[in-house]
Amino acid sequence: MASGGREASAVADGGREASAVAGEGLGTGEVAAGGRGTADLGARLPDAAGEGHGPGDGPAEGQGTADSAGKRHGTADAGAEGDDPADADVLPRLLDSVLRRIDSVLAGESARWTAVDPRCAAFVDAVTAITVAKGKLLRPRFCLLGHLAAGGDPGSADAVDAAAALELLHSFALLRDDVLDDSPLRRGAVTAHERHADDHRARGLRGEPRRYGEGVANLAADLSHVYADRLTRRLSEPARAVWDETRVEVTVGQYLDIAVAAEGVADPDLSRWIAVCKSGRYTIHRPLQLGATIAGRPDLADAFEAYGLPLGEAFQLRDDLIDAFGDSENTGKPTGLDFAQFKMSYLLSLAVRRDERIRELAAAPAGPEAAARMRALLIESGVADDVERRIAHLVEQARQAVAEAPLVSRWRDELMDLTASVAYRDR
């Protein structure tokens, strides 16, 4: 299975400058109806203690042995390992190792289960299809950056395995999310539940095609989750605790997302918490923390939280703007699915609190004409511009959080540069 379908290059910068806009539009205090700042959201997330596990899969191809716990507790500086300009391609190389690791696991599993019964090929391939599709690799990237910025060994097999596990965890979340949202496309391809429902119809199988397709996709999501967890078995107990909390948070966040959407609750503070739980922690904060913990630097948890939560909030706000105003050809998935149904996203929950016309429209039956009117109101009311200013403010918060953190300078700069790519993307 070739990894050429995925790019290990950095997320393309949308070419937009991210400047701080403190005190304007949707400022820090204005967004949180309950008066909680970004960092305070952690109070609503209980940390669970991790448990030790036995040996997992072997080291990734071409990787050395794992770092021992506590190996690098000293403060990293500009002269620390990882600043060698001659090794400028270390991050792309590590991302390539992650892709090879994933390909090796999935190819081996496909061959193993196809030998049991040929039907299993399509099942395992449901995981493979979404995992090897062209994605941004944000979670593996942040995991590896957390490891390198903490002064971790670039040859760590555990860091590569953890990064690969995060991407497979993301495949689990996407497979499940597509079923929950009834999305027909993902990354430019037909979603797993739609593909298997179509296969059911074409073959004239018994039962209901929709239930069959959703059943296969949900089971494939579980399979991807199992593969992800197996890759973390060799991690230290502190690293496993971070991994376990990541899985709990993304699952609880997804539940609250569908519960709030079903109830039509317009609560910006709750929507913000869901966004931070699903995006800030799962996409940025926890991967960084996981990488740093593998490097023996659990002391960096606070700095990475202060970076990841505001950047994750910006990530989700951009996601909501893309859903409202984006182009499906750029995103590889249908835009406007949530928006056309007036799902109480973070963006819409902010908007209904700001403008009575939006609030009245959101309470009315949804549809194409109503969605078009809602887009116009978001612009006319200034909410869209205020959200852009809020994003810029959050990006500056994230940059400030790592500016003085005890990190390897080269990788600190990478984290600061990545803020614009995350917050100002078009897909």
Side-chain angles (χ1 to χ4, degrees), residues 386-403:
D386 284 346
V387 168
E388 290 288 359
R389 285 191 285 269
R390 173 66 183 165
I391 289 172
H393 176 65
L394 290 165
V395 166
E396 186 60 24
Q397 274 189 297
R399 286 176 168 170
Q400 290 175 357
V402 294

Side-chain angles (χ1 to χ4, degrees), residues 11-371:
V11 182
D13 189 331
R16 302 181 61 175
E17 289 292 324
S19 58
V21 187
E24 288 190 59
L26 298 174
T28 307
E30 183 174 346
V31 172
R36 286 187 290 271
T38 303
D40 297 328
L41 294 168
R44 297 178 69 168
L45 287 170
D47 283 326
E51 296 181 4
H53 290 261
D57 294 339
E61 182 181 352
Q63 298 297 312
T65 56
D67 296 328
S68 58
K71 177 181 177 182
R72 295 180 182 275
H73 270 278
T75 299
D77 56 32
E81 183 177 356
D83 274 338
D84 182 3
D87 198 19
D89 63 343
V90 61
L91 184 57
R93 270 206 330 271
L94 286 172
L95 286 168
D96 283 341
S97 294
V98 169
L99 294 178
R100 288 196 302 272
R101 185 71 167 122
I102 292 171
D103 287 348
S104 175
V105 169
L106 295 179
E109 286 294 297
S110 181
R112 173 191 178 198
W113 292 109
T114 300
V116 173
D117 190 292
R119 294 177 184 83
C120 292
F123 179 47
V124 179
D125 286 351
V127 178
T128 303
I130 197 167
T131 306
V132 304
K134 184 179 178 181
K136 295 183 282 291
L137 291 177
L138 277 178
R139 292 151 198 86
R141 185 180 302 277
F142 277 118
C143 179
L144 295 170
L145 280 172
H147 185 71
L148 295 170
D153 178 8
S156 169
D158 280 1
V160 169
D161 277 359
L166 285 164
E167 191 65 7
L168 285 166
L169 181 66
H170 189 46
S171 295
F172 148 77
L174 293 181
L175 285 162
R176 192 64 57 80
D177 197 50
D178 286 340
V179 172
L180 294 173
D181 291 345
D182 195 21
S183 180
L185 292 175
R186 170 71 67 177
R187 292 175 174 172
V190 177
T191 49
H193 67 281
E194 288 285 349
R195 187 167 63 252
H196 286 278
D198 288 344
D199 178 61
H200 185 285
R201 294 186 192 95
R203 294 165 58 198
L205 302 180
R206 297 179 179 181
E208 185 182 346
R210 181 185 65 84
R211 287 180 61 84
Y212 176 80
E214 291 178 351
V216 172
N218 280 327
L219 289 170
D222 290 340
L223 189 64
S224 189
H225 194 172
V226 172
Y227 291 155
D229 197 49
R230 272 178 21 184
L231 284 170
T232 68
R233 284 180 180 171
R234 293 189 305 115
L235 297 185
S236 66
E237 185 172 339
R240 277 287 307 190
V242 177
W243 166 251
D244 288 342
E245 197 66 6
T246 304
R247 296 185 293 154
V248 171
E249 287 167 352
V250 71
T251 304
V252 173
Q254 185 64 71
Y255 163 73
L256 284 174
D257 188 46
I258 63 171
V260 168
E263 295 169 14
V265 176
D267 182 347
D269 193 37
L270 179 57
S271 294
R272 180 175 177 237
W273 184 87
I274 293 170
V276 167
C277 194
K278 287 181 60 182
S279 296
R281 293 185 180 271
Y282 157 67
T283 301
I284 303 168
H285 165 217
R286 294 301 188 193
L288 284 167
Q289 184 185 5
L290 181 59
T293 303
I294 291 169
R297 294 290 306 281
D299 57 292
L300 291 173
D302 289 345
F304 284 146
E305 181 176 36
Y307 172 89
L309 296 191
L311 187 56
E313 185 180 339
F315 179 92
Q316 187 59 53
L317 283 172
R318 177 61 58 199
D319 212 45
D320 290 346
L321 286 171
I322 289 171
D323 183 63
F325 300 103
D327 185 342
S328 296
E329 290 187 7
N330 288 335
T331 64
K333 60 182 179 180
T335 56
L337 283 180
D338 291 344
F339 192 78
Q341 300 171 29
F342 292 163
K343 177 182 175 180
M344 275 301 153
S345 65
Y346 188 15
L347 170 66
L348 200 55
S349 69
L350 292 172
V352 297
R353 290 289 185 95
R354 293 287 304 276
D355 192 284
E356 184 177 351
R357 296 169 299 173
I358 293 175
R359 184 161 55 253
E360 291 176 354
L361 185 58
E369 291 185 7

Side-chain angles (χ1 to χ4, degrees), residues 3 159 310:
S3 63

